[in-house]
Amino acid sequence: MPNEIRKDYILDRWVIIASERAKRPTDYSGRPSERTEAKTCPFCPGNERKTPPAVLLYLPSDGGIKRAKDSDGERVKNWLVRCIPNLYPALSPRNSISLVEDDLHRRSDGVGAHEVLIESPNHDEHPSNGRLEQIELVVQAYLDRLKGLSKWEYVSIFRNHGKEAGASLSHAHSQIMATPMVPERISDELAACRSWLEKKDACPYCEIIEAERSSPRFIFENESFIAFAPWASVYPFEFWLLPKKHQHTLLQLDERGKRDFSRALRMCFGSLATILNDPPYSYGFHIAPTRGQHECFHWHLEVYPKLSIQAGFENSTGMFINVTPPEVAAQSLRESLPRI
Ligand SMILES: [Zn+2]
Ligand SMILES: [Zn+2]
Ligand SMILES: [Zn+2]
């Protein structure tokens, strides 16, 4: 069965039914141990043949980088960053899209893109311990793929770290999914930004930044970015990173902004790894949808450490219990920022 996207009977909530992913051997049983040996890791240099041809490669060139791609029969070596189609995509590029069935059963074909961004040739070079110049390349690659996939309605860039957070391979990587509709969380945030703008003639996130800068939830700032634990943190040690200037998409980052963002990532994830012994976590960017006028949106990165288990109450109500107050989380994150 091909992948499809189904809408809830009555809610504006879409679910990817990833039948094509069901063949993925490691999914429910017989997971390999998290610490994949470099010899067998398909993302480590030398094993490029175990993966599909790269859609984007950064190669070293005169102290800078050069962009390249693999061809079908050949895999380029000596890369710094490598972006490949997911071997087991939840969404795949096809052309047709149909919204059919009846009022209760709405669906569309599972079209879109699902890519893996291998962040470094070094198996263990993560945002928590990586070299700044390497993290800057990862940020640049996010921008390039966001641009490259802009024919889709929405591009989600996210990272799962650690087996408990859903990473089936431990090599440093992010994922990118392009979807044929705007996901509910994004359209909810966008609608909230619009109505705030209409009522108060301001961006709520710009106001949040001003308020949290001097609050007990503040964690870190540099010239272009701020990090804080949100007021109603859903997860213990959740934090958000926002550009201080109003920007609706990552694509508005200038060179200084990219550097400051990379540094903010390195600082915050360094601290998180120190205080919680490299915990599993996920992060995801919230950016404006690719089509239409969404300048009222303010892009940000949301980070969700995976320290608690969602169960009956959370799953059945959409309401959460967080046992670590954001003020407590922010204080430890603030006090353990690395010196770099
Ligand atoms: Zn590896
Ligand atoms: Zn704003
Ligand atoms: Zn958000």
Side-chain angles (χ1 to χ4, degrees), residues 38 41 43-46 48 58 60 77-82 118-125 131 134 137-138 171-172:
C41 171
F43 296 166
C44 271
E48 290 86 358
Y58 288 172
K77 308 273 179 198
N78 197 29
W79 46 270
L80 299 168
V81 167
R82 184 163 188 264
I118 304 167
E119 296 170 3
S120 165
N122 303 317
H123 190 84
D124 281 317
E125 186 163 23
R131 294 160 298 148
Q134 188 66 30
L137 292 182
V138 175
H171 194 115

Side-chain angles (χ1 to χ4, degrees), residues 202-207 209 243-247 295-299:
C203 161
Y205 290 98
C206 285
E207 294 196 355
I209 290 169
K244 290 186 184 172
K245 260 195 237 152
H246 183 85
Q247 298 180 338
E295 281 79 7
C296 67
F297 196 67
H298 193 130
W299 77 265

